[in-house]
Amino acid sequence: PSEFCIDFYRQEYDYTGDVLVTGYPRSDVLVGEEAAQIRELTRDRLGLTGDQTAILYAPTYRDLLTTKTFAAKRFDELDLDQLTDQLDESFVILVRGHNNNQREAARVTGHSRVVDVTDYPEINDLTLAADVAVLDYSSLRFDWALTGKPMIFFVPDMETYFAERPPLFEFLPTAPGPLLRSTDDVIDALRNLDGVAVEYASAISDFNKAFNELHDGQSTQRVIDAFFRS
């Protein structure tokens, strides 16, 4: 995706060959001409109206919640009942479990304004359809940043998480949004979404310059050109 990653690939995989730095082809759609159309189609598919604010809540999996190989229970410390009770009816929560959560049968049910989209086949569709993301430690923040929309980080277990899974690089500089520890804090941030968007707009812009400069909608073409040149 960027020059930033080359040393990590060499270090973690003991790789010594050439590296093709083109940006991720999968991200082209997030900044492409069809992005607005995909957003509308996905919102229609999910039953979202134009005046509803869609929150994409996408926690990554926790090693401590692993149930079997490549399977884990969903991290559920964010109180969805409290969110739906205290946020007005214009908010809808799209819960997206990690692939490891998908391999467990449990899904979120029984909430009128919570839609479990763990099994939805394309994360880019959801990224385009949603208006704000509640994230934590996953790389989804790199893709989400391309949209320029605000992101909130719910990280009540940050010390425990990184004790179990040490990061390759420092997390805080790559989290361009408020770092929150409680459901109350998340609710306050969502109620002040315009303020959050303004406060972190420059941080997201700087983040994209540092990590997403090659994600300009032409990554697929660069991969094709490099393949056929070789």
Side-chain angles (χ1 to χ4, degrees), residues 65 71 83 94 135 168 197:
L65 296 177
L83 281 176
L94 308 177
L135 307 174
L168 291 176

Side-chain angles (χ1 to χ4, degrees), residues 113-154:
R113 288 185 289 121
V114 178
V115 182
D116 195 315
V117 290
T118 298
D119 300 311
Y120 193 94
E122 179 51 65
I123 184 61
N124 282 339
D125 289 1
L126 301 175
T127 297
L128 292 171
D131 302 293
V132 57
V134 178
L135 307 174
D136 46 28
Y137 318 110
S138 80
S139 62
L140 181 56
R141 65 191 186 277
F142 292 87
D143 301 323
W144 181 272
L146 289 169
T147 70
K149 294 180 290 192
M151 58 186 107
I152 294 165
F153 293 88
F154 180 59

Side-chain angles (χ1 to χ4, degrees), residues 68-211:
K68 55 189 174 183
T69 303
F70 299 122
K73 294 180 180 178
R74 182 178 57 82
F75 180 71
D76 62 357
E77 194 160 332
L78 186 65
D79 191 328
L80 299 178
D81 288 322
Q82 187 179 347
L83 281 176
T84 53
D85 286 345
Q86 296 188 20
L87 292 174
D88 68 51
E89 294 188 357
S90 66
F91 287 93
V92 175
I93 304 164
L94 308 177
V95 179
R96 174 71 170 192
H98 185 274
N99 287 345
N100 285 21
N101 304 140
Q102 189 180 38
R103 297 183 179 99
E104 285 289 310
R107 297 291 183 269
V108 179
T109 59
H111 297 264
S112 61
R113 288 185 289 121
V114 178
V115 182
D116 195 315
V117 290
T118 298
D119 300 311
Y120 193 94
E122 179 51 65
I123 184 61
N124 282 339
D125 289 1
L126 301 175
T127 297
L128 292 171
D131 302 293
V132 57
V134 178
L135 307 174
D136 46 28
Y137 318 110
S138 80
S139 62
L140 181 56
R141 65 191 186 277
F142 292 87
D143 301 323
W144 181 272
L146 289 169
T147 70
K149 294 180 290 192
M151 58 186 107
I152 294 165
F153 293 88
F154 180 59
V155 289
D157 60 340
M158 185 160 55
E159 294 79 13
T160 302
Y161 181 87
F162 287 127
E164 290 288 326
R165 185 176 285 269
L168 291 176
F169 51 90
E170 193 174 353
F171 171 69
L172 295 182
T174 67
L179 275 66
L180 308 176
R181 299 274 186 165
S182 71
T183 300
D184 285 330
D185 290 340
V186 171
I187 290 170
D188 288 343
L190 291 170
R191 285 173 171 167
N192 183 37
L193 198 52
D194 289 342
V196 171
V198 170
E199 181 177 355
Y200 289 94
S202 62
I204 292 174
S205 177
D206 291 344
F207 179 92
N208 281 326
K209 289 176 183 176
F211 303 110

Side-chain angles (χ1 to χ4, degrees), residues 3-18:
E3 297 282 345
F4 167 75
C5 294
I6 292 176
D7 288 344
F8 294 128
Y9 287 124
R10 298 202 187 285
Q11 169 189 314
E12 297 300 314
Y13 299 109
D14 195 25
Y15 179 70
T16 59
D18 294 335

